[in-house]
Amino acid sequence: VMLEGDWRNIGVPLILDEHGRLSDGQHRLSAVIESETVQQFNVVDGVPHADALLTVDTGRKRSVGDILQIISNDPADPREFTNINNLFSVSRRVWAYEHYKDMTMNSKPAQRMTTAKWVDYITQVSEECQRGVSVGTKMYQNIGMTTSGAGAAHVVCSRIYPDLAAEFAQQVVKPSQIENPAYVLREQALKDSQANRRVQSWVKDSRLCAAMYIKAFNCYRIGAVPKRIKFISVGPAAEAFPTVAE
């Protein structure tokens, strides 16, 4: 359009933050460079960077992942996030557990969380949730449990029993003995992930993965070795979501 002389300035400004960095208008300026034309723009200077992060050129709200990536790539921002999609998933379930001792994301409070609030929360819990992502990734790679479910469960276990939680996670991945609830959980997850089921496997459901993980950890903490880990999530016998026993 610019190359053909049909582009018009309709007043939508380029936006610069308080450091003079371009926050909005990258696509238009790239088009100027590519078309090798001269164009006129309105400019708004000094918009707070934190506010500018929440929108893009098109008016579409940036996702939480978009913002975390921008923060990580910003040399002026000391915060750094890795494995961003899994980090958000784990952090959301940890938040749910904090607020109503469950890890479902279907509650109204979770749905009312704004992008800005999620970014603030993830910044606060980033370090422990990054460790949760690492553990959850190992669980997914080794026994098929979801990264977000196992990762979030590891975080809430670690908050009360950090050393024991690390030991338990290692035992799930590489058990040292079979008389061990970590081994029981591992074998159930492997069997379930490999089964040819008509209904969805529990290892593919993050809430169920987290519940099973926490139940197995509670047994591990007290030295109990159940024959089977069980969590009933639906029906008249449905259980409350398990919590980490203190």
Side-chain angles (χ1 to χ4, degrees):
V1 175
M2 289 183 178
L3 191 60
E4 295 173 357
D6 292 333
W7 189 85
R8 297 290 183 269
N9 177 18
I10 59 173
V12 178
L14 304 177
I15 296 178
L16 306 179
D17 68 15
E18 68 269 39
H19 304 294
R21 299 173 300 186
L22 182 67
S23 295
D24 193 0
Q26 293 91 336
H27 294 161
R28 282 169 286 165
L29 293 181
S30 294
V32 171
I33 294 171
E34 291 179 12
S35 65
E36 297 182 341
T37 60
V38 176
Q39 304 293 342
Q40 185 178 52
F41 299 97
N42 295 356
V43 178
V44 174
D45 191 9
V47 175
H49 180 64
D51 294 339
L53 272 177
L54 300 178
T55 56
V56 295
D57 293 314
T58 60
R60 174 182 67 85
K61 281 189 175 182
R62 284 179 170 140
S63 70
V64 174
D66 292 336
I67 296 173
L68 295 180
Q69 191 64 63
I70 291 170
I71 291 172
S72 296
N73 294 337
D74 185 354
D77 196 313
R79 293 172 293 175
E80 185 175 354
F81 306 100
T82 59
N83 210 330
I84 286 171
N85 288 337
N86 283 329
L87 175 63
F88 182 34
S89 296
V90 168
S91 300
R92 290 170 72 224
R93 295 190 182 278
V94 172
W95 179 91
Y97 184 87
E98 285 181 4
H99 285 77
Y100 42 89
K101 293 297 183 287
D102 203 323
M103 289 197 184
T104 179
M105 298 312 302
N106 296 326
S107 68
K108 289 183 179 180
Q111 294 170 359
R112 286 197 295 264
M113 282 284 283
T114 64
T115 298
K117 287 181 179 178
W118 278 125
V119 171
D120 288 342
Y121 177 74
I122 293 170
T123 298
Q124 296 169 21
V125 300
S126 172
E127 185 174 346
E128 61 179 342
C129 286
Q130 298 266 25
R131 291 194 295 269
V133 169
S134 178
V135 169
T137 300
K138 291 178 182 177
M139 297 299 163
Y140 175 74
Q141 293 171 342
N142 285 273
I143 62 175
M145 293 179 73
T146 67
T147 298
S148 61
H154 176 75
V155 171
V156 300
C157 293
S158 297
R159 286 180 168 180
I160 303 176
Y161 305 103
D163 294 337
L164 198 63
E167 180 183 299
F168 175 76
Q170 179 61 31
Q171 286 293 314
V172 175
V173 173
K174 191 175 182 180
S176 60
Q177 57 182 344
I178 61 174
E179 294 297 321
N180 183 335
Y183 176 83
V184 175
L185 178 67
R186 172 188 173 85
E187 291 304 298
Q188 283 185 227
L190 286 172
K191 182 178 180 180
D192 203 74
S193 63
Q194 295 165 3
N196 185 15
R197 294 175 176 269
R198 292 184 178 181
V199 295
Q200 183 175 349
S201 164
W202 68 262
V203 296
K204 304 301 181 186
D205 184 302
S206 292
R207 179 176 181 266
L208 298 184
C209 277
M212 295 284 281
Y213 192 101
I214 291 171
K215 277 201 157 189
F217 176 79
N218 284 337
C219 290
Y220 188 83
R221 186 184 64 82
I222 62 174
V225 185
K227 291 183 178 180
R228 184 173 179 81
I229 309 295
K230 184 171 67 172
F231 175 65
I232 302 174
S233 62
V234 295
E239 303 173 50
F241 191 84
T243 57
V244 181
E246 297 191 45

